[in-house]
Amino acid sequence: MEMRRIGLIGGMSFEGSAVYYRMLNEAVRERLGGLNSAEVLLHSVNFQEIVDLQKAGRWEDAGRSLARVARGLEAAGADCVMICAVTMHLVADAVGESVGVPMINIIDETAFRLQAAGAKRPLLLATRYTMEHGFYAERMKRHGIDVMVPDPDGRALTHSIIFDGLCAGKVLDTSRKALVALMERAKSDGADAIILGCTEICLLLDPAQLPLPGFDSTGIHVEAAVEFALASTPAGGQH
């Protein structure tokens, strides 16, 4: 069958992008059998340059940078584009508006899955930017979902585990235990689900082994992309 080509904006971090590449190909092979694999175009950026823009609050510049990458993927034949990083969905609208193909948004796709499960008050574990800048919670509210985040100390801990640990390839049991403790606290405060809201967290936590129902953003994003690639009409995503 003819397959749509998936354009990945990756490298943020490459640890997370490697998960995308593996999961996309595994999902297509599972669906189609044999030696079938995904049609993928990957542009992996220099993460340090993006991190420097994040730290300087230069989000518009970061958005322009990723928009250039998206246009390059479209020109190379991508039928959709995906940002392989939750944090950089802060500039998703600018990136999506820069191309003429659908951009599959990880926040929307996660919201659809939460809605289907009846979850309305999930705890978000993600980078400090994702937890504090408001773009994630605001987009979730459009879907009727009220996101919780840890307290300031918990947010700092989670951000450190992601940037200093997982993005550097350090998958530590102490980090896992610390995040599970945050989940237990949120459960007692009324959380009804857990969003693994960073593309590297799935390296550390199994969504099926958490104190509350877990939703792995990366896996959900990948499933939406595979649906798009294998469907005769667009599934999910938006222009």
Side-chain angles (χ1 to χ4, degrees):
M1 65 176 293
E2 186 171 349
M3 195 184 311
R4 291 192 179 107
R5 190 171 290 122
I6 301 166
L8 302 180
I9 304 173
M12 304 170 288
S13 67
F14 73 77
E15 300 281 353
S17 299
V19 173
Y20 268 90
Y21 184 75
R22 175 178 54 80
M23 292 180 71
L24 283 166
N25 284 294
E26 287 177 346
V28 169
R29 182 176 62 190
E30 183 177 341
R31 288 277 294 271
L32 301 183
L35 296 178
N36 283 288
S37 56
E39 290 270 357
V40 174
L41 293 172
L42 168 63
H43 184 135
S44 187
V45 303
N46 182 353
F47 192 27
Q48 186 62 58
E49 293 178 359
I50 299 299
V51 169
D52 290 344
L53 293 174
Q54 290 175 344
K55 289 181 176 178
R58 295 170 55 192
W59 294 100
E60 289 186 6
D61 289 339
R64 282 190 286 269
S65 178
L66 296 194
R68 285 193 296 272
V69 172
R71 289 193 296 270
L73 289 169
E74 181 181 20
D79 296 303
C80 70
V81 294
M82 304 168 66
I83 301 173
C84 300
V86 180
T87 296
M88 293 313 295
H89 276 71
L90 192 153
V91 298
D93 288 344
V95 175
E97 290 165 4
S98 73
V99 293
V101 296
M103 193 189 78
I104 302 175
N105 187 296
I106 197 170
I107 306 173
D108 291 337
E109 298 299 337
T110 303
F112 299 150
R113 192 66 62 86
L114 287 162
Q115 287 176 325
K120 297 182 180 296
R121 187 85 168 115
L123 173 70
L124 171 64
L125 295 177
T127 69
R128 177 171 54 81
Y129 307 113
T130 301
M131 293 187 287
E132 295 181 358
H133 273 250
F135 72 96
Y136 194 101
E138 289 166 10
R139 196 162 187 113
M140 277 286 177
K141 278 188 178 179
R142 300 181 195 176
H143 300 281
I145 296 168
D146 188 14
V147 170
M148 294 174 63
V149 296
D151 63 19
D153 288 342
R155 295 197 298 271
L157 172 65
T158 305
H159 184 85
S160 177
I161 287 171
I162 293 168
F163 265 89
D164 301 329
L166 299 175
C167 288
K170 301 174 185 176
V171 182
L172 305 177
D173 191 55
T174 52
S175 298
R176 182 189 62 79
K177 290 178 179 177
L179 293 181
V180 169
L182 292 179
M183 296 177 207
E184 294 284 7
R185 194 177 312 156
K187 181 179 180 179
S188 67
D189 290 338
D192 59 6
I194 305 294
I195 300 172
L196 305 185
C198 172
T199 52
E200 290 82 13
I201 290 188
C202 63
L203 297 169
L204 182 65
L205 296 169
D206 179 350
Q209 302 291 326
L210 303 179
L212 288 165
F215 294 81
D216 173 23
S217 295
T218 305
I220 292 167
H221 207 196
V222 163
E223 290 173 16
V226 171
E227 286 297 321
F228 175 87
L230 299 182
S232 58
T233 54
Q238 62 174 20
H239 284 283

